[in-house]
Amino acid sequence: MSSVQLAGFGDLIANDATIDYPRPDRLVRGNPERLTYSLYEHPHMDCGIWQCEVGAWNIQFAENKQEFFQVIEGIVRIHDAKTNSFIEVTAGNAGIIPPAFFGTFEVIEAVKKYYVIVEV
């Protein structure tokens, strides 16, 4: 796997994973375990590696929050509730979840991804 580097500091090392699950009121299918390895935190940006089992849950992004991600392993679908459409992002490809997005995050095949979350 490729590494993440911070200018002036070299390779970033992942902290121990935090484990969580989708909120019960947002579950659509399954109850997937989610692991988050934080690599870098800044007042307006967080990035790291995120892993998740198969499942689906509803998401609602705030007006000031957005995410860029690149899938390392697996397949995800992000369903847009407004347009009734979805994107599918597979290993080696990237996706963006824009501010104020509302829909469903579906893990088709266990996923591992780099993520960058920006809040302004």
Side-chain angles (χ1 to χ4, degrees):
M1 178 173 60
S2 59
S3 65
V4 175
Q5 298 183 19
L6 176 61
F9 293 94
D11 288 346
L12 295 173
I13 306 299
N15 295 319
D16 290 338
T18 58
I19 300 171
D20 75 329
Y21 299 85
R23 288 181 8 199
D25 61 316
R26 293 187 176 189
L27 279 175
V28 173
R29 183 171 45 84
N31 189 27
E33 181 178 81
R34 305 182 298 191
L35 304 173
T36 302
Y37 298 89
S38 179
L39 291 174
Y40 178 74
E41 294 180 5
H42 185 273
H44 301 291
M45 185 184 87
D46 294 315
C47 65
I49 297 172
W50 184 84
Q51 293 178 233
C52 186
E53 301 171 334
V54 172
W57 60 95
N58 292 323
I59 59 174
Q60 171 73 56
F61 270 47
E63 295 279 339
N64 67 333
K65 181 178 180 180
Q66 55 194 318
E67 178 181 351
F68 168 85
F69 64 91
Q70 182 175 13
V71 174
I72 302 166
E73 301 170 359
I75 302 170
V76 299
R77 285 187 188 148
I78 301 173
H79 301 263
D80 186 331
K82 293 178 187 173
T83 64
N84 201 28
S85 63
F86 68 88
I87 62 168
E88 185 169 281
V89 186
T90 59
N93 295 300
I96 296 171
I97 303 173
F101 179 85
F102 175 73
T104 302
F105 194 97
E106 180 181 19
V107 178
I108 302 296
E109 184 178 292
V111 70
K112 183 178 196 177
K113 68 176 184 168
Y114 287 117
Y115 68 88
V116 178
I117 297 174
V118 177
E119 293 186 53
V120 293

